[in-house]
Amino acid sequence: AIDLSLYSDLTTMMCGGTSRPSLLAASRGAQTALEGTTKDQRVEGLLRALATGKQGGMTEEGHRVSGLFGGWNPFSPAKAPKERPAAEASLNEPPIDLRRYAVRPADLQGEETRRWPLPSNLWVCCSCGELPLEEQEVPDAVRRMRAAIDALPQNWIVILDTDHLARAPVSELAFCSASKLILPLSIDDNDFSRLFIDPTGNALFEVLEETEGREEGWLRSRIHKVVFNSVLHYQNQ
C-alpha cells in the first residue's frame, strides 16, 4: 500500500491507529511511522525517485521541493492543463524498487498495538505529511510508477491511497498508474455531492474527465466499486 494522503490516513491506521496518548499528542499510528522510518524510506523518497529516476536517496534538491504538495496549491483557481513536455524517463532505466520505500507495519508494532496482529506480507509506503511532487514532474512519475508496479511479482496487489483533493499531482499519479478506482464514501449528501461539485476545482468526476481527454491511455483507472464506510475512530475498526 502506498500512502499518497497528506493526512497520512492509511499510515495511521496501519501503524497503530488513531488513538492519542494525550489530548495534544500525535496519533499513535502516525508517531510510530515517523519514528520508525526516514524520509528516504517513506513516500517522500519514493516521489522524488519517481520524478528523477534516482533511487540512491533524496538529494539536497529533493529536500528543497516547496510545499506540502510540491508547488501545487489546492485553493488556487483551476487552470487549463499545460502542454505535456516530452517524457524524460529513459526506456533503458531500471524500474524503481517500490519495496525500498516501504516498511512492514508488523515490524513497527509496539506492545500497545500487538492486539491487532498484522500479516507479515503487508508493506506500507508511509506518508508523514509531505508529498513533494511538482505538476510538471507527473508525466515521468506516472511512467516510472507503471514500470515499478509491473516489475513486482504477479501475486502482489498495490493500493494507492489519496486524499479528496483530486486535482493534486499525487492524485493524478494514482489515477494514471492504477487500473481500478475504489471510492470510499460516507452516507452523507455533502460527501457524495463533492464527487461532482467542488468550489476548489477538486470534483473527482470532473478531474477524471479532464485527465481522460488529455491523451489516449493516459488515465488508466476505471471506477470499480463504491464502498460506503464508517470508521470507529477510537477502536481502529
Side-chain angles (χ1 to χ4, degrees):
I2 300 175
D3 192 352
L4 297 175
S5 165
L6 183 65
Y7 305 103
S8 310
D9 296 332
L10 186 148
T11 298
T12 298
M13 298 300 286
M14 292 292 184
C15 295
T18 57
S19 64
R20 300 173 186 268
S22 61
L23 180 62
L24 300 179
S27 66
R28 198 179 303 280
Q31 190 64 35
T32 297
L34 183 63
E35 293 176 355
T37 59
T38 66
K39 285 191 174 186
D40 287 334
Q41 299 170 322
R42 297 196 295 262
V43 76
E44 295 103 307
L46 172 61
L47 290 175
R48 298 318 305 150
L50 292 171
T52 65
K54 300 175 182 177
Q55 302 189 61
M58 289 181 69
T59 63
E60 185 177 343
E61 180 182 356
H63 283 285
R64 291 200 301 266
V65 173
S66 61
L68 298 175
F69 283 101
W72 181 75
N73 181 356
F75 300 105
S76 63
K79 300 177 182 178
K82 298 178 182 178
E83 186 176 340
R84 294 187 178 280
E88 296 178 3
S90 169
L91 294 177
N92 298 321
E93 192 175 86
I96 301 293
D97 184 359
L98 295 177
R99 288 168 288 192
R100 185 186 187 284
Y101 304 94
V103 295
R104 296 190 308 171
D107 294 337
L108 299 180
Q109 282 188 308
E111 293 300 324
E112 301 87 352
T113 55
R114 289 195 187 279
R115 50 183 167 164
W116 298 301
L118 295 170
S120 60
N121 63 350
L122 173 65
W123 294 76
V124 176
C125 180
C126 297
S127 166
C128 287
E130 291 184 43
L131 302 171
L133 184 69
E134 305 271 3
E135 283 183 274
Q136 66 271 18
E137 296 173 330
V138 171
D140 282 344
V142 168
R143 291 179 177 90
R144 290 189 177 107
M145 179 69 92
R146 289 176 177 179
I149 293 174
D150 290 343
L152 290 170
Q154 291 187 352
N155 62 342
W156 280 54
I157 297 174
V158 179
I159 299 172
L160 306 171
D161 184 46
T162 67
D163 290 318
H164 64 283
L165 298 170
R167 204 174 291 275
V170 290
S171 295
E172 183 176 352
L173 171 64
F175 299 153
C176 296
S177 300
S179 58
K180 297 178 181 179
L181 185 59
I182 298 175
L183 302 180
L185 291 175
S186 60
I187 305 178
D188 178 271
D189 186 59
N190 291 329
D191 199 25
F192 182 78
S193 295
R194 71 182 183 189
L195 293 175
F196 309 93
I197 302 172
D198 188 286
T200 65
N202 285 282
L204 177 64
F205 288 175
E206 178 183 325
V207 171
L208 292 177
E209 184 178 9
E210 288 179 12
T211 306
E212 185 174 33
R214 291 184 195 175
E215 179 183 323
E216 186 176 355
W218 184 243
L219 178 66
R220 274 194 174 182
S221 59
R222 294 293 183 267
I223 294 177
H224 178 63
K225 285 184 179 180
V226 177
V227 179
F228 291 94
N229 66 340
S230 179
V231 178
L232 301 179
H233 298 283
Y234 297 103
Q235 297 182 38
N236 201 26
Q237 298 176 354

